[in-house]
Amino acid sequence: MPLATSAPPAHHLRLWWRRRGRAGAVGATFAVALLAAGFLLELSYYVSSVPHAPTPSSGRRPALVDLTLVRRAEDKGALCLDGSAPGYHLQRGSGTGSQSWLLHLEGGGWCRNLRSCASRQKSVLGSSLYMEHQVEFAGILSNDKSQNPDFYNWNKVKIRYCDGASFSGNVKDELQNGTKFFFRGQRIWEAVMNELLLKGLRHAKQAFLTGCSAGGLATYIHCDNFHALLPKDSRVKCLADGGFFLDVEDISRQRTMRAFYSDVVRLQDMRGRFSHCGPNMDLGQCFFPSEVVKGITTPVFVLNPAYDAWQVQHVLAPKVSDPQHSWLNCRLDISKCDSNQLEILQGFRKELHNAISELRHKRDWGFFIDSCFVHCQSLNSLTWHSASSPRVNNKTIAEAVGDWFFDRREVKEIDCEYPCNPTCHNLVFAKPFKA
């Protein structure tokens, strides 16, 4: 199942789910188009296109939900990178869920310079002109009770990502080196929230802000603001899926991700928006979740794999730090990692555990850290809640998140080291080939 052809391809990549120890693939092999630069396309953008689990016993296919463009977006200055109106998909709730809202911030990486942002302007990640008119709602967005037992009948919104900086930039000037760029993620966030408030969000009894990958980072950034928009007596929480990016040295002892984030923050002039960012801190540090979470007061659930596939490929072992291609097979398939590489991966897992260690003491926070080689897990029925979903302490992700949201129990799940968990669906990538 290919992605939208609007995304300009540089390579194609085959990707499939595989159970540890099982020959062959769980899902069908499929091709996806990558954007021109490696950092442009967040792995979450195509994880959502992984074939879903078999149709539930109810026989229902995932619902198709129409795209809505923000009204008078130009007047509000709330524009995608190319100047088009931002959009979202809204599915109305029903019955007991009619006054409950779940919002999901789409992921899709970041652009660090004008050239990479220009590539996005001609794609679904920078322009609503290329966005699908309908998208499937699956996983945490599903309206099927068997797939999404706690949130199936809520009002659900998928907010499309087209600003390149986790809904956070706010640059007034449009011209950059003679070309128009609209770095307006913060205004997009505000415009969408204002529109949804008028559509019933302001009366929410329960509200849940979620996001995947770059949208997960945006969830950390906007969580408290989201809470402030809602009635004081409503239950409001947040969930960041695959969004806890680590500020660590890569295999060449460079902080590649920090340098990348520094460029993003500088390009979109975001330094002033982060109250946690001290004058002596590197620009890139301000954008990492480990810093952002320090100021959050709203309860947050951290959903992350210990061996995040995107981070292994772009944070821990980016291509620029591996000129001899010694990590190529390991990057594509965790089962192909040698003993030294596995030791480094276990160290990466430990860095994540250390980064969230302070969260153990926040009773109203929760986390689910499984030992899978994957990225986002909440938008796919196979990983969210199915008969073959990954489990920690015999709980699916959906069950753990529901238990936490509704205060049924404290949820702070930490999985054992790879390859201990046979329920994992690990991603396997084929070597890139030219189209």
Side-chain angles (χ1 to χ4, degrees), residues 169-209:
N170 191 11
V171 179
K172 182 178 181 180
D173 294 337
E174 299 173 6
L175 284 177
Q176 306 285 336
N177 289 354
T179 302
K180 280 193 174 184
F181 289 91
F182 296 87
F183 299 134
R184 303 286 179 77
Q186 177 64 31
R187 297 194 202 185
I188 291 173
W189 162 262
E190 293 171 359
V192 173
M193 288 303 106
N194 287 336
E195 204 156 291
L196 293 176
L197 286 169
L198 293 175
K199 292 186 176 184
L201 177 61
R202 62 182 172 180
H203 301 302
K205 301 296 185 183
Q206 302 177 111
F208 201 8
L209 178 66

Side-chain angles (χ1 to χ4, degrees), residues 51-54 56 62 138-140 142 147 377-389:
H52 295 291
I140 197 172
S142 174
Q147 183 187 141
Q377 301 175 86
S378 64
L379 288 183
N380 193 282
S381 59
L382 189 66
T383 49
W384 175 246
H385 188 65
S386 72
S388 58
S389 288

Side-chain angles (χ1 to χ4, degrees), residues 3-116:
L3 288 182
T5 55
S6 57
H11 307 75
H12 286 271
L13 195 64
R14 287 197 186 98
L15 173 73
W16 63 87
W17 295 103
R18 191 185 66 187
R19 285 280 198 186
R20 181 179 69 82
R22 183 186 294 180
V26 170
T29 304
F30 70 103
V32 296
L34 291 180
L35 293 178
F39 270 103
L40 280 183
L41 186 56
E42 188 75 24
L43 192 143
S44 62
Y45 179 56
Y46 55 83
V47 163
S48 63
S49 292
V50 173
H52 295 291
T55 303
S57 56
S58 63
R60 296 168 58 184
R61 301 296 302 173
L64 289 172
V65 183
D66 292 335
L67 175 68
T68 299
L69 297 181
V70 171
R71 296 180 59 199
R72 298 190 299 276
E74 188 171 359
D75 295 341
K76 301 169 185 175
L79 301 168
C80 296
L81 286 170
D82 70 332
S84 60
Y88 57 90
H89 305 259
L90 167 61
Q91 182 183 62
R92 288 291 185 177
S94 62
T96 57
S98 60
Q99 288 187 296
S100 297
W101 287 72
L102 188 149
L103 279 60
H104 184 86
L105 298 172
E106 185 179 38
W110 313 269
C111 53
R112 70 188 303 179
N113 52 43
L114 297 181
R115 186 175 70 173
S116 60

Side-chain angles (χ1 to χ4, degrees), residues 129-394:
L129 299 178
Y130 299 92
M131 291 177 184
E132 310 93 315
H133 293 294
Q134 292 183 321
V135 297
E136 287 188 350
F137 271 23
I140 197 172
L141 294 178
S142 174
N143 65 350
D144 187 335
K145 188 174 182 179
S146 68
Q147 183 187 141
N148 191 23
D150 283 310
F151 310 109
Y152 72 98
N153 63 347
W154 286 29
N155 297 282
K156 293 184 289 292
V157 187
K158 182 174 184 178
I159 302 171
R160 303 305 296 270
Y161 179 44
C162 65
D163 69 282
S166 291
F167 298 90
S168 295
N170 191 11
V171 179
K172 182 178 181 180
D173 294 337
E174 299 173 6
L175 284 177
Q176 306 285 336
N177 289 354
T179 302
K180 280 193 174 184
F181 289 91
F182 296 87
F183 299 134
R184 303 286 179 77
Q186 177 64 31
R187 297 194 202 185
I188 291 173
W189 162 262
E190 293 171 359
V192 173
M193 288 303 106
N194 287 336
E195 204 156 291
L196 293 176
L197 286 169
L198 293 175
K199 292 186 176 184
L201 177 61
R202 62 182 172 180
H203 301 302
K205 301 296 185 183
Q206 302 177 111
F208 201 8
L209 178 66
T210 75
C212 161
S213 199
L217 174 57
T219 299
Y220 291 120
I221 292 170
H222 290 294
C223 183
D224 278 345
N225 175 257
F226 177 69
H227 195 172
L229 296 173
L230 295 161
K232 291 183 179 180
D233 60 347
S234 59
R235 180 196 301 264
V236 183
K237 297 186 179 183
C238 304
L239 177 148
D241 177 10
F244 210 98
F245 299 96
L246 295 177
D247 183 13
V248 296
E249 291 183 347
D250 63 26
I251 56 174
S252 68
R253 306 299 296 274
Q254 303 298 312
R255 290 188 182 267
T256 302
M257 197 63 187
R258 185 189 290 187
F260 184 87
Y261 272 175
S262 291
D263 289 346
V264 175
V265 172
R266 186 178 295 107
L267 179 67
Q268 300 223 19
D269 193 25
M270 295 187 290
R271 175 81 184 238
R273 66 158 291 114
F274 298 127
S275 59
H276 62 269
C277 194
N280 298 322
M281 290 178 64
D282 183 282
L283 279 175
Q285 287 179 276
C286 308
F287 211 42
F288 281 100
S290 56
E291 294 297 328
V292 178
V293 298
K294 292 179 180 178
I296 300 176
T297 58
T298 304
V300 177
F301 193 95
V302 180
L303 170 58
N304 241 79
Y307 310 94
D308 188 298
W310 192 91
Q311 292 199 63
V312 169
Q313 294 183 356
H314 296 286
V315 179
L316 180 63
K319 291 180 181 178
V320 68
S321 297
D322 185 30
Q324 304 302 317
H325 309 296
S326 61
W327 274 74
L328 176 60
N329 290 332
C330 182
R331 283 162 48 93
L332 301 177
D333 181 350
I334 194 171
S335 72
K336 301 292 177 59
C337 299
D338 62 33
S339 58
N340 290 331
Q341 290 166 337
L342 280 176
E343 185 176 351
I344 292 172
L345 286 173
Q346 303 303 6
F348 185 78
R349 171 181 179 268
K350 186 176 180 180
E351 291 281 359
L352 174 62
H353 289 182
N354 290 341
I356 67 170
S357 61
E358 293 184 11
L359 307 183
R360 291 177 179 271
H361 307 298
K362 294 188 175 186
R363 291 192 60 187
D364 54 355
W365 284 49
F367 47 78
F368 187 103
I369 311 297
D370 58 32
S371 291
C372 308
F373 183 65
V374 66
H375 189 41
C376 291
Q377 301 175 86
S378 64
L379 288 183
N380 193 282
S381 59
L382 189 66
T383 49
W384 175 246
H385 188 65
S386 72
S388 58
S389 288
R391 284 168 165 77
V392 177
N393 289 330
N394 203 33

